[in-house]
């Protein structure tokens, strides 16, 4: 398919087999520039000689600087050749005796039919979904930054901190950065976003310095992208960002961290510290090992800082294990008070993405609880002294007690379970009349039991839990 222009008809500078270079407008019609022709966009056009004896329908990219339409692919012509439906072989350009009349047109293949199948390519289907705002699938979990079970809106300054579920802050440099979920509405309708703030600057970037915010995606979730073989699909990462002006990078890599590609996006001076939407398209990786099970299948990395040992050229897959950026990466950590916000993140199949669609909160919470869950009420911090949401189990006999099973949302793998006393929040404890040492036993994807130091066989032991199966 190609783009359309309204009533665009012109005379080119010459006939023959050359590309069509605009010379003058046919009376009553619009020139390409006046009709809104876009530089680099593909159009279809018909050329007809004055005596109607020669004609050709072709398509090609428009170059605004020279006013040229490339006759890249001949669909059909007056000599009976072309690649249009029902014809065999690529058509040759007609050698026009004189400059013909050229008009931008739509052809049968550009029209959506309900009477017969439509032969759309994967790229065309992706663009169609984007045009009407239909999402085939967003592979990112918690792209609206809505769910923050573990840390709520509390800010964290340690590497490995989760400001919201699934999104991890990591850094290693001489500076310090704080990340948090903040209440600030986004263009996509989410009430939340992630905010990273430089607390201690690092203006001198050492070769191994880095600062990133990333998400690992389970292999089961990205299996249909077919990475690792010839059928690998193109993907587009589209996201909202608010940050200082500069060039930033996004990296996509496999779970074993030996296949990676890096793309760049630029925040112009006029876009600095304002909400903007950016997107980067990556060709699918036809080689390498990509997990399609419950292991880490893909990682998406938003880069804030990267040293010289962590860079490579953009837009090419490599086997580098430590690369995350290009040499053009802006040093976000260079100034105290710099703020980087990200929101409305989507990863979609194809070379374009639809506008961000905010998921239902409960559905997104369920997705997140496959990887991390707590017994506390959603808004209650882990380690709080409270009986709300507490679990309980009767004790048996000395010297140890085996409690009844506690059920979980199904996890990616058997999780790491930590118990907390509802009396004072102490980890590794339950509570009957006093805190007692307690731990999880027989942990599976959906259930665990507890083991505790024996107290009273007539008093239930109470406890809270967290269960982590994060990638």
């Amino acid at each position: 398919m190609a783009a359309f222009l309204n009533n665009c008809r012109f005379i080119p500078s010459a006939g023959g087999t050359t590309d069509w270079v605009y010379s003058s407008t046919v009376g009553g019609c619009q020139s390409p520039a006046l009709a809104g022709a876009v530089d680099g966009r593909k159009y279809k056009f018909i050329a007809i000689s004055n005596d109607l004896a020669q004609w050709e329908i072709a398509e090609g990219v428009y170059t605004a600087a020279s006013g040229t339409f490339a006759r890249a692919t001949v669909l059909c012509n007056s000599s009976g050749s072309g690649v249009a439906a029902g014809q065999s072989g690529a058509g040759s350009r007609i050698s026009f005796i004189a400059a013909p009349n050229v008009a931008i047109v739509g052809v049968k293949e550009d029209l959506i039919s309900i009477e017969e199948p439509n032969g759309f390519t994967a790229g065309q289907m992706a663009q169609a979904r984007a045009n009407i705002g239909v999402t085939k699938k967003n592979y990112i979990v918690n792209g609206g930054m809505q769910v923050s079970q573990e840390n709520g809106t509390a800010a964290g300054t340690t590497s490995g901190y989760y400001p919201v579920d699934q999104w991890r802050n990591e850094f290693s440099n001489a500076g310090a950065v704080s990340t948090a979920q903040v209440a600030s509405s986004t263009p996509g309708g989410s009430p939340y976003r992630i905010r990273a703030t430089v607390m201690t600057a690092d203006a001198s970037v050492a070769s191994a310095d880095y600062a990133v915010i990333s998400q690992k995606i389970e292999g089961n979730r990205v299996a249909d992208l077919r990475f690792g073989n010839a059928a690998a699909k193109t993907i587009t990462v589209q996201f909202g960002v608010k940050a200082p002006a500069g060039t930033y990078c996004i990296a996509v890599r496999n779970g074993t961290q030996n296949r990676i590609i890096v793309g760049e996006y630029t925040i112009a001076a006029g876009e600095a510290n304002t909400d903007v939407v950016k997107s980067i398209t990556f060709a699918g990786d036809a080689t390498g090992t990509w997990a399609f099970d419950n292991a880490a299948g893909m990682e998406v990395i938003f880069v804030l800082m990267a040293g010289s040992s962590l860079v490579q050229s953009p837009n090419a897959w490599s086997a580098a294990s430590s690369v995350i950026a290009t040499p053009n990466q802006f040093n976000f950590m260079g100034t105290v008070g710099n703020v980087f916000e990200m929101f409305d993140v989507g990863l979609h199949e194809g070379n374009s993405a639809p506008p961000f669609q905010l998921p239902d909160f409960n559905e997104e919470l369920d997705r997140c609880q496959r990887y991390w869950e707590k017994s506390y009420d959603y808004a209650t911090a882990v380690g709080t002294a409270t009986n709300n949401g507490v679990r309980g189990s009767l004790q048996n006999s000395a010297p140890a007690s085996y409690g009844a099973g506690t059920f979980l949302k199904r996890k990616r793998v058997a999780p790491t379970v930590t118990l907390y006393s509802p009396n004072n929040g102490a980890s590794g404890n339950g509570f009957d009349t006093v805190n007692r040492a307690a731990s999880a036993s027989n942990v599976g994807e959906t259930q665990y039991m507890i083991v505790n130091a024996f107290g009273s066989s007539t008093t239930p032991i109470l406890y809270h839990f967290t269960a982590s199966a994060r990638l």
Side-chain angles (χ1 to χ4, degrees):
M1 297 183 74
F4 301 110
L5 296 175
N6 289 327
N7 195 29
C8 179
R9 189 181 296 266
F10 65 93
I11 305 297
S13 58
T17 59
T18 62
D19 291 335
W20 300 132
V21 180
Y22 171 79
S23 177
S24 61
T25 305
V26 172
C29 299
Q30 297 190 100
S31 68
L34 191 60
V38 177
D39 184 59
R41 185 165 292 175
K42 185 183 291 184
Y43 295 92
K44 290 190 176 73
F45 36 86
I46 184 170
I48 305 177
S49 64
N50 289 335
D51 62 2
L52 307 182
Q54 294 180 297
W55 61 270
E56 174 185 295
I57 298 177
E59 68 177 343
V61 170
Y62 174 65
T63 302
S66 59
T68 301
F69 289 89
R71 295 162 70 182
T73 303
V74 176
L75 302 176
C76 51
N77 56 33
S78 53
S79 67
S81 66
V83 294
Q87 299 173 334
S88 61
S92 300
R93 297 182 182 186
I94 292 293
S95 182
F96 284 86
I97 296 172
N101 187 305
V102 179
I104 308 304
V105 295
V107 299
K108 178 181 182 295
E109 289 74 25
D110 294 318
L111 303 177
I112 298 175
S113 173
I114 60 173
E115 304 295 338
E116 58 186 354
N118 295 285
F120 299 139
T121 66
Q124 290 167 346
M125 288 187 285
Q127 185 62 59
R129 290 192 296 270
N131 288 349
I132 61 176
V134 174
T135 303
K136 180 179 180 183
K137 179 179 180 179
N138 185 356
Y139 293 88
I140 294 292
V141 176
N142 202 23
M145 317 304 174
Q146 301 161 271
V147 180
S148 184
Q149 298 181 84
E150 182 179 13
N151 295 308
T153 58
T157 58
T158 58
S159 182
Y161 186 77
Y162 284 84
V164 300
D165 282 46
Q166 300 298 104
W167 292 101
R168 177 183 172 96
N169 167 45
E170 293 186 69
F171 61 91
S172 177
N173 56 69
V177 63
S178 171
T179 55
Q181 180 200 56
V182 294
S184 178
S185 61
T186 73
S190 176
Y192 297 104
R193 59 182 68 196
I194 290 176
R195 177 179 295 161
T197 306
V198 176
M199 310 302 290
T200 303
D202 182 2
S204 179
V205 185
S207 63
D209 282 357
Y210 70 92
V212 303
I213 299 172
S214 65
Q215 178 172 143
K216 293 180 179 179
I217 307 173
E218 185 178 347
N220 286 318
R221 190 167 176 84
V222 293
D224 62 323
L225 292 176
R226 306 290 301 280
F227 276 35
N229 63 65
K233 298 177 182 179
T234 297
I235 59 172
T236 295
V237 180
Q238 184 164 280
F239 55 97
V241 62
K242 179 180 180 180
T247 297
Y248 296 79
C249 295
I250 293 177
V252 175
R253 68 183 177 191
N254 63 355
T256 51
Q257 300 184 8
N258 57 13
R259 295 294 297 171
I260 193 162
I261 192 169
V262 179
E264 296 178 341
Y265 66 96
T266 299
I267 297 178
E271 299 174 321
N273 302 311
T274 62
D275 287 354
V276 291
V277 176
K278 301 289 183 178
S279 65
I280 301 178
T281 296
F282 298 98
D285 185 24
T287 60
T289 300
W290 294 80
F292 297 142
D293 53 15
N294 61 353
M298 180 180 292
E299 185 175 8
V300 181
I301 306 167
F302 288 77
V303 185
L304 308 183
M305 174 195 210
S308 59
S309 67
L310 308 178
V311 302
Q312 69 174 25
S313 298
N315 305 320
W317 286 100
S318 80
S321 61
S322 59
V323 164
I324 55 173
T326 74
N328 299 321
Q329 170 67 41
F330 173 72
N331 178 18
F332 169 77
M333 297 296 300
T335 304
V336 171
N338 271 353
V339 171
F340 180 95
E341 295 180 355
M342 56 184 290
F343 50 89
D344 297 353
V345 182
L347 188 157
H348 300 274
E349 174 195 332
N351 53 15
S352 58
F356 181 77
Q357 296 182 8
L358 185 68
D360 175 80
F361 175 83
N362 288 328
E363 292 176 356
E364 199 76 309
L365 177 59
D366 280 344
R367 293 187 188 99
C368 292
Q369 287 177 333
R370 177 168 171 79
Y371 308 99
W372 199 92
E373 183 182 358
K374 67 180 181 180
S375 57
Y376 297 93
D377 289 348
Y378 177 79
T380 300
V382 174
T384 298
T386 178
N387 283 333
N388 291 350
V390 73
R391 304 308 199 256
S393 177
L394 289 175
Q395 303 180 68
N396 293 329
S397 58
S401 171
Y402 290 85
T406 294
F407 290 95
L408 303 167
K409 293 287 183 70
R410 181 172 293 279
K411 297 294 178 283
R412 177 185 64 88
V413 293
T416 298
V417 176
T418 304
L419 304 182
Y420 301 84
S421 167
N423 178 56
N424 62 1
S427 64
N429 282 264
F431 180 81
D432 50 19
T433 57
V434 296
N435 279 1
R436 299 190 186 279
S439 60
S441 175
N442 301 319
V443 180
E445 295 176 6
T446 62
Q447 187 180 21
Y448 67 89
M449 300 179 69
I450 68 163
V451 180
N452 67 281
F454 181 70
S456 167
S457 62
T458 61
T459 304
I461 186 163
L462 306 177
Y463 58 92
H464 280 290
F465 75 86
T466 60
S468 177
R470 284 170 168 159
L471 291 154

